[in-house]
Amino acid sequence: MWQRAVFKMAELDTDLDHILPSSVLPTFWAKLVVGFVSLMCFARSYDGEFVFDDSEAIVNNKDLQAETPLGDLWHHDFWGSKLSSNTSHKSYRPLTVLTFRINYYLSGGFHPVGFHVVNILLHSGVSVLMVDVFSLVFGGLQYTSEGWRLNPAPRASLLAALLFAVHPVHTECVAGVVGRADLLCALFFLLSFLGYCKAFRESNKEGAHSSTFWVLLSIILGAVAMLCKEQGITVLGLNAVFDILVIGKLNILEMVQKVLHKEKSLENFGVLRNGCLLFRMTLLASGGAVMLYIRWKIMGTGPPAFTEVDNPASFADSVLVRAINYNYYYSLNAWLLLCPWWLCFDWSMGCIPLIKSAGDWRIIVPAALWFCLIGLLCQALCSEDSYRRRILTLGLGFLVIPFLPASNLFFRVGFVVAERVLYLPSVGFCVLLTFGFGALSKHAKKKKLIAALVLGILSINMLRCIVRCSEWRTEEQLFRSALSVCPLNAKYADLNRHMDALNAWRNATVLKPEHSLAWNNMIILLDNTGNLAQAEAVGREALELIPNDHSLMFSLANVLGKSQKYRESEALFLKAIKANPNAASYHGNLAVLYHRWGHLDLAKKHYEISLQLDPTAPGTKENYGLLRRKLKQLQKKDV
C-alpha cells in the first residue's frame, strides 16, 4: 500500500517539476526559502502601532504589568478580567498573555515593535514547520533504516508551505498583536499532530510503549495549544481522524457495501478489531474530556453574553434563518481563503445583512459550498485510490476540524466572520489547492501556463500581504481600509463622523484660535483613536496659543504619558494641578503616571488625594488597590 502511494506521490512531484526548481528541494533549502518568503510578506508590520483589540488586550491589560501576580493570569481571561465575572469574555489564553507579559518586561514598557517582531517570527516559524507537516501529508510515513523520515513529495510540500506562508488572510494574526493567540495555538497544534504521527514510525521496535509515549505527548501539546487559544483542543479530533482513516485505512465505501450485504461480523472490519487503535482513541477521548472539564471549572460561570450586533444570525427567531445564515458565513470564510482580496478587521455591526427570504440570491452561495464539500468528502471517504483518500481526508480534516469552534454549532460566538480563525483551516485549503494544481498539471498540455498561474498567485498574494500590513500599521489606516469592504458597518460610519468632527473643530480654531474647547476636543479624539503623535502635535500647538489653560495641560499630559515621555508629562500634570488643585481626575491620572513610571510613593500620595476629592471614582479605587498590593509585596521582600 505504501509503495503504491509513494509512486503516486513521485508522479505528482514530477508534474510539479516545471513549477519548482530542483535546487530548492532539499529540506533545509525548502525551509530556508519558506522562512525568508514569510518574513518578506509581513516584515512591513514590524513598526506598526497597537491597533483595534490590541488596546484592550495589551495596553489596558493589567496582567502584563509586574504589579499583577503571575498567578492571576490563570484566573483571568484574555483581556485581564476575572473569569468568574459575569462580564468576562471567557477567552482563556494564559500562555498567550504570559508571552505578552514577557514582551512588556523585555521591551521596558508598551513599545509595539517588540510585540510585532515576535508575531512575525512566530508566523515564519509556523510556516517553516509546515514543510514537515505537508511532507507528511503528501509523502506519508516513510522512514530510513536509521529512523529519519523521508519526504517522497518535496515539491508538493514546498509549494503548499509557500502557499500557506504568503496567504493574505494571515495578516490579521501577524500584524495584529492579539493574533499571537492564533500563532501560538497553531504552533503547538502542529507539534501535537507531528508528535502523534511519531507513534507510527516504521522503524519502531519498542511496540506500544513508544507509541503510547508519543500519543500522551501529543495530548499534552494539545493542552498547551488550548491554553494559547481554545481552538487548540481540536487537534485531538484531527489526530483521531488521521489514526482511523489514514493509519487504519478504513474504507468507508467498502464498509457501507458490507453493511448493505449484512456482513455484521467484526472480522470484516479489521480497524474495529484493532486493540491498539481503540486504546489510542480512549487516550484521546479521556485527554479531551479532562481538558474540557478543567476549562469548565476554571470558567466558573456560563458562556459569555454577546449582543445582536456581534452575531445577528444567532439571535434570529427562526431556526431555518439561523441555519441559512450560518452556512452563508461559512461560504464567506471559504471565499476569503479562495480570494483573499476583500479583507476587513471587523465584519460585525450590520456589515453582512441577514438572509431572511428564499428570494435572496445569496442563498445560492451556501448551496455551492456544500456541493463542493460533499464532492470532496465522497472522494476522501469512498475513493478506491488510497493516496487520494489520504490527501483529501487530511486536507478536509485540517480545513474543517479547527474551524468547528467558530461555527456556532456548539455555542454562540461573538463575531460574524473573523479572518484570524482561518489561520489553521488555511492549512487544509493549501493541501487541497496543491493537490488540485497537481491534478491540473497532470492533464494540461501547456504546463507553462500552470506554472505561470501558480507563480502569479504566489506573487499577487505576497504583494497583497505587504499592502495589507501597511493598512494595519495605524488604526486610522485600518478603519479606512474597511470602508470599501464593509460600508454598512456602523463603526466605520463613526470614523467618518470622527473625521468630520475633527475637521469642524480644526475650522473652529482657525476662526477663533483661543477656542479652548475645540482644541481640547481635538486632542481627546486623536488620543482615543490611537493617533498619539498627532494628538501631541495638536496639544503643543494649542498650548502655544493658550499657555495657561489647565484643561489643555491635562489632556496633553495624558498623551505624553501614553507615549512614555514621563518627565514632560509630570511637569504638565503638576502645572495643571497648581491651576486647579481640586480636580480629582488630575491627581488620579498623575498617580497612574507615577505608577507606570515606578515612583510608587508619589503614586500612593496622589491616589489618596484623588479619592479624598472623589471617593466614588471606580478606576482610581482599582488602581490604588493594585498599588497597595505591590507595596506589600515589596515590604515582604525587604523583610
Side-chain angles (χ1 to χ4, degrees):
M1 182 67 72
W2 283 109
Q3 289 182 349
R4 179 186 174 190
V6 171
F7 172 77
K8 288 278 186 182
M9 283 177 269
E11 182 181 342
L12 171 63
D13 252 36
T14 301
D15 293 331
L16 296 174
D17 184 41
H18 57 281
I19 299 175
L20 297 173
S22 58
S23 58
V24 298
L25 294 183
T27 301
F28 172 79
W29 289 106
K31 292 182 177 181
L32 194 65
V33 168
V34 170
F36 177 75
V37 168
S38 66
L39 290 176
M40 288 285 291
C41 285
F42 298 99
R44 188 71 184 89
S45 66
Y46 88 96
D47 60 346
E49 300 173 358
F50 291 122
V51 297
F52 194 42
D53 286 339
D54 295 347
S55 299
E56 290 300 317
I58 298 170
V59 179
N60 297 329
N61 191 344
K62 293 181 175 61
D63 285 347
L64 271 65
Q65 301 175 24
E67 292 82 2
T68 304
L70 275 173
D72 286 3
L73 270 63
W74 300 94
H75 303 284
H76 290 178
D77 65 16
F78 188 53
W79 314 95
S81 302
K82 289 184 178 180
L83 276 168
S84 56
S85 170
N86 290 329
T87 59
S88 170
H89 195 273
K90 308 300 182 184
S91 300
Y92 187 60
R93 303 159 191 176
L95 294 185
T96 302
V97 178
L98 181 61
T99 68
F100 290 154
R101 183 163 173 150
I102 294 171
N103 247 139
Y104 176 83
Y105 174 77
L106 295 177
S107 301
F110 292 110
H111 302 293
V113 171
F115 290 83
H116 284 297
V117 168
V118 171
N119 273 28
I120 295 168
L121 293 177
L122 274 173
H123 173 67
S124 182
V126 171
S127 299
V128 168
L129 192 62
M130 283 299 174
V131 177
D132 291 325
V133 173
F134 289 131
S135 69
L136 189 148
V137 171
F138 292 106
L141 294 171
Q142 299 294 315
Y143 291 87
T144 65
S145 57
E146 292 80 16
W148 295 97
R149 190 165 57 82
L150 297 171
N151 181 11
R155 291 183 181 86
S157 57
L158 175 57
L159 176 56
L162 286 172
L163 289 169
F164 176 86
V166 306
H167 204 297
V169 82
H170 298 157
T171 311
E172 180 173 343
C173 293
V174 183
V177 178
V178 295
R180 187 178 302 177
D182 299 270
L183 299 173
L184 287 170
C185 175
L187 176 65
F188 290 105
F189 184 104
L190 297 174
L191 289 174
S192 174
F193 176 71
L194 291 172
Y196 196 82
C197 294
K198 284 276 190 178
F200 308 102
R201 286 179 52 172
E202 291 185 344
S203 59
N204 174 31
K205 297 180 181 179
E206 299 298 325
H209 297 292
S210 178
S211 174
T212 302
F213 167 78
W214 286 110
V215 172
L216 291 175
L217 180 61
S218 173
I219 294 171
I220 293 171
L221 289 170
V224 174
M226 190 180 74
L227 291 175
C228 296
K229 188 175 182 180
E230 298 80 355
Q231 190 180 24
I233 194 173
T234 59
V235 71
L236 303 184
L238 181 69
N239 290 341
V241 169
F242 173 76
D243 201 342
I244 295 171
L245 298 181
V246 177
I247 298 300
K249 300 182 179 66
L250 178 64
N251 189 321
I252 300 296
L253 177 62
E254 180 183 348
M255 189 174 74
V256 170
Q257 289 174 342
K258 289 182 177 180
V259 169
L260 291 176
H261 287 84
K262 299 182 180 181
E263 298 180 25
K264 298 182 180 180
S265 173
L266 286 178
E267 293 181 1
N268 295 312
F269 308 108
V271 174
L272 302 179
R273 295 185 294 109
N274 190 326
C276 291
L277 172 64
L278 295 176
F279 176 68
R280 291 192 296 271
M281 292 302 103
T282 301
L283 288 179
L284 289 176
S286 301
V290 170
M291 289 183 210
L292 290 174
Y293 176 75
I294 294 175
R295 174 73 172 82
W296 176 76
K297 291 291 289 184
I298 291 173
M299 190 166 66
T301 59
F306 296 113
T307 62
E308 187 171 354
V309 296
D310 297 319
N311 186 357
S314 64
F315 287 85
D317 295 329
S318 169
V319 175
L320 181 61
V321 171
R322 287 203 300 271
I324 291 173
N325 282 279
Y326 287 161
N327 281 276
Y328 182 63
Y329 295 164
Y330 306 157
S331 306
L332 291 177
N333 281 282
W335 180 250
L336 289 178
L337 289 174
L338 187 63
C339 184
W341 203 254
W342 294 278
L343 299 177
C344 183
F345 72 96
D346 188 356
W347 296 79
S348 64
M349 302 193 74
C351 188
I352 304 172
L354 288 180
I355 299 175
K356 296 181 178 180
S357 70
D360 194 322
W361 68 267
R362 293 177 296 165
I363 205 169
I364 301 172
V365 179
L369 172 68
W370 280 107
F371 177 80
C372 295
L373 285 178
I374 290 173
L376 288 170
L377 189 63
C378 289
Q379 288 292 312
L381 298 179
C382 303
S383 175
E384 295 182 358
D385 188 333
S386 62
Y387 161 67
R388 176 175 294 184
R389 281 206 313 271
R390 183 176 72 251
I391 301 304
L392 294 180
T393 297
L394 290 176
L396 288 172
F398 270 108
L399 180 68
V400 175
I401 294 174
F403 183 76
L404 289 176
S407 66
N408 286 291
L409 290 176
F410 304 105
F411 43 81
R412 176 184 290 154
V413 298
F415 52 85
V416 176
V417 174
E419 293 157 21
R420 60 187 177 275
V421 304
L422 296 177
Y423 193 77
L424 271 169
S426 66
V427 178
F429 171 77
C430 293
V431 170
L432 298 175
L433 190 60
T434 302
F435 181 73
F437 281 138
L440 188 63
S441 178
K442 180 179 180 180
H443 296 97
K445 295 181 179 179
K446 297 182 179 180
K447 298 186 181 297
K448 289 185 179 181
L449 289 178
I450 306 301
L453 173 65
V454 173
L455 295 177
I457 289 174
L458 291 173
S459 301
I460 291 173
N461 280 357
M462 286 184 68
L463 179 62
R464 181 67 176 123
C465 286
I466 295 170
V467 171
R468 187 63 178 154
C469 282
S470 298
E471 295 171 348
W472 270 86
R473 293 183 70 248
T474 68
E475 196 152 281
E476 182 178 349
Q477 288 175 299
L478 185 61
F479 271 78
R480 289 194 177 282
S481 70
L483 282 170
S484 60
V485 180
C486 285
L488 298 177
N489 192 311
K491 289 182 182 178
Y492 312 146
D494 287 341
L495 175 66
N496 280 337
R497 288 194 290 271
H498 288 165
M499 296 307 298
D500 290 341
L502 195 62
N503 290 332
W505 289 326
R506 170 59 76 178
N507 291 334
T509 60
V510 171
L511 296 172
K512 187 180 179 182
E514 296 81 18
H515 197 325
S516 172
L517 181 61
W519 285 110
N520 210 32
N521 285 338
M522 276 199 291
I523 299 169
I524 293 171
L525 178 59
L526 291 168
D527 181 5
N528 291 339
T529 54
N531 298 299
L532 295 180
Q534 195 175 352
E536 180 182 340
V538 171
R540 293 186 187 281
E541 183 182 353
L543 280 178
E544 286 181 6
L545 294 169
I546 319 172
N548 296 319
D549 191 297
H550 58 81
S551 64
L552 291 176
M553 297 174 195
F554 173 70
S555 297
L556 180 56
N558 285 324
V559 173
L560 293 171
K562 291 179 181 179
S563 302
Q564 300 188 3
K565 298 178 180 180
Y566 295 138
R567 292 192 183 280
E568 196 175 359
S569 176
E570 177 195 27
L572 282 173
F573 272 127
L574 293 174
K575 198 172 179 181
I577 288 172
K578 186 177 180 180
N580 187 11
N582 293 323
S585 59
Y586 289 13
H587 289 280
N589 285 25
L590 176 58
V592 171
L593 176 73
Y594 283 137
H595 199 160
R596 289 178 178 174
W597 199 358
H599 296 181
L600 302 185
D601 291 334
L602 288 172
K604 182 174 182 292
K605 171 187 172 182
H606 285 277
Y607 276 137
E608 290 173 349
I609 294 173
S610 178
L611 288 171
Q612 286 175 3
L613 294 169
D614 183 9
T616 62
T620 305
K621 278 185 177 180
E622 185 178 5
N623 290 333
Y624 184 49
L626 287 172
L627 176 65
R628 292 183 63 183
R629 188 189 306 171
K630 176 65 176 178
L631 290 172
K632 286 180 181 178
Q633 290 174 349
L634 293 175
Q635 288 175 356
K636 288 180 180 179
K637 289 182 180 178
D638 292 339
V639 173

